[in-house]
Amino acid sequence: MAALRNLSMVIGAAVAALGSVLFIAWSRYVPGRRRLKWTAHQQQPHIGDQVKYLDRQILVLGLDGAGKSSIIHALSTNTIRSSSAPTHGFNTAQILSQGLRIELLEVGGSLNLRTYWNQYLKNADIMVFVVDSTDDKRLQLARHELHRLLEEAPRLPLMVLANKQDCKSTLGISDIYTELSLHRIQGLREVTLLGTSAVCDGYGQSTTLHTVRSLLEERLHMLKEPQEMVHQHSTHCPTSLEREKSA
């Protein structure tokens, strides 16, 4: 029986890895489909409304068991749930709010899926990195994975959520800041560190997930559209010689 269980775990990991490869290939090579894979929760506009949305993507990463799925559920539905099954592949949700169409994309945090994390950085507008504040034994691993990603995306805004602040054995925000060596990147990019609880919103000193969502939406509104940036870069600025000729 033990051999059968081990075999099933190996097969499950292989299936998850294969799904990761196919998802990466689909995202990269299918033209015109930068966003919107499959959606777990959607807030649909009223029939007849014609709203032009800005597409944004929030990439949600973190080690397995950190509470990523519960946080995505809370952000997209404004409701709290006590538990959720581990993510063996991908989890997505969509938020339509204030002219934004936000895709929340979670990639599982198991060892076989962490190797694919960097493949999703290029489409992300913000990275949310979720940490289990009670899992002090794996904080070093979380720090290693986080800084590995940051090296590949030096300008990507970062929000770190120190989750499970409702537990008695949790580490405080200052401890998480130190353990993750966030001082190394402070001033080099936009970094936000917040304490959260995905099962007891606003418990103790933790930030409510409603506030987290508001902060994310505020940051996404500040980002420029890619075509706007291209237009700005392509605008011709006359040289000094051209200005002399025109004069």
Side-chain angles (χ1 to χ4, degrees), residues 13-29:
V15 170
L18 177 59
S20 301
V21 174
L22 293 176
F23 191 87
I24 292 168
W26 185 89
S27 302
R28 180 177 297 177
Y29 296 112

Side-chain angles (χ1 to χ4, degrees), residues 129-144:
F129 195 84
V130 185
V131 178
D132 183 348
S133 301
T134 67
D135 192 1
D136 56 334
K137 295 181 179 179
R138 293 204 300 167
L139 280 176
Q140 183 177 356
L141 175 60
R143 179 178 68 235
H144 169 76

Side-chain angles (χ1 to χ4, degrees), residues 70-75 78-80 161 163 195-202 206-216:
S70 296
I71 285 178
I72 283 182
H73 174 84
L75 293 177
N78 289 320
T79 61
I80 302 297
L161 299 182
N163 197 33
T196 57
S197 171
V199 298
C200 186
D201 198 16
S206 66
T207 304
T208 65
L209 291 173
H210 178 75
T211 301
V212 172
R213 171 171 162 169
S214 297
L215 291 173
L216 287 169

